[in-house]
Amino acid sequence: VVGLGTGSTASLFLAHLAERIQRKGLEIRGVPTSEATARLAESLRIPLVELAPSSAPDLVVDGADEADRQGRLIKGGGGALVREKMVAEAGRGMAVMVHWAKVCPELGAFPLPVAVLPFAWRMIAAAVSSMGAAVRLRSDRDGGPRLSDDGLMILDCAFGRIPEPEALEEEIERIPGVVACGLFTGLATRLLVGGPDGDVEEFPVPADAD
Ligand code: A5P
């Protein structure tokens, strides 16, 4: 069972996976992390299965918006962070593939996505602002809020720098009405970094990253 991430990088992985499933007759089932990924997997004839204890992914493969050298991540640029986090937490390992420009010494240049219950968004925006972030409600082209697959609003929270990702993740996820924040700490077990020439280097992720 493979957890199927969301985004342009994960989509490339899906295409390769589909090709291998067909060529080698592999018995692989995918747990999709978004409706878009589910649709793509179906079009590629990757068999899907719902997230359940009996279908916990052996490996999750996903992209990220930012990664540090310890394998800590910011995710959710595509708005799928809640399902991505649930699938990653259920999985036995998580391989993250990123372009080299997304690897940074410290997280925070990418505004941190936070998925929230619409009812509570103003309260949560105020709470996260008081932690030092500039907070924006993610909107559609028509100006209305962009909702996630689960009907949640996304707050993009620009911290600039996040010196203690684990502590911030815990603090934000304690706010009532927050479903998940885009900090993923202690989840990535492999970090695969694509270089400018198309070469791929694996950066070692410390086992005690969390
Ligand atoms: C989706 O919600 C995100 O977490 C993506 O995994 C992340 O935004 C990376 O996407 P790209 O591979 O398209 O850059």
Side-chain angles (χ1 to χ4, degrees):
V1 179
V2 180
L4 305 173
T6 294
S8 55
T9 315
S11 299
L12 294 172
F13 168 72
L14 257 72
H16 283 279
L17 180 67
E19 192 268 327
R20 284 213 190 177
I21 289 174
Q22 266 118 52
R23 186 161 46 86
K24 298 195 170 180
L26 301 177
E27 280 186 36
I28 282 181
R29 293 168 300 153
V31 178
T33 54
S34 63
E35 298 299 327
T37 292
R39 281 195 301 273
L40 178 61
E42 274 159 10
S43 74
L44 292 166
R45 291 187 289 139
I46 298 174
L48 295 180
V49 63
E50 266 182 38
L51 182 64
S54 57
S55 60
D58 298 287
L59 180 70
V60 179
V61 183
D62 206 344
D65 299 299
E66 228 175 48
D68 71 9
R69 288 267 179 172
Q70 287 76 50
R72 297 176 297 194
L73 315 169
I74 288 184
K75 289 184 50 57
L81 63 154
V82 173
R83 295 190 191 187
E84 288 175 332
K85 201 172 228 184
M86 295 203 68
V87 173
E89 277 174 357
R92 295 190 186 94
M94 180 190 197
V96 176
M97 302 174 299
V98 287
H99 183 269
W100 61 273
K102 292 176 169 181
V103 182
C104 49
E106 187 176 72
L107 298 176
F110 191 92
L112 176 66
V114 179
V116 305
L117 294 182
F119 174 75
W121 83 266
R122 287 181 196 279
M123 297 297 286
I124 297 164
V128 180
S129 299
S130 73
M131 296 174 189
V135 180
R136 290 186 53 171
L137 177 63
R138 196 177 293 185
S139 56
D140 267 332
R141 253 184 258 139
D142 65 7
R146 168 123 42 104
L147 299 182
S148 74
D149 286 347
D150 300 296
L152 303 170
M153 288 179 174
I154 311 282
L155 302 177
D156 290 305
C157 306
F159 279 91
R161 37 189 306 260
I162 301 179
E164 292 178 42
E166 288 86 355
L168 186 66
E169 180 181 12
E170 220 181 289
E171 198 181 349
I172 293 177
E173 292 190 346
R174 264 205 311 262
I175 303 170
V178 169
V179 178
C181 93
L183 281 165
F184 285 47
T185 63
L187 288 171
T189 50
R190 299 187 66 182
L191 182 60
L192 304 161
V193 181
D197 305 321
D199 51 313
V200 176
E201 191 184 340
E202 178 155 5
F203 288 13
V205 174
D208 60 349
D210 58 343

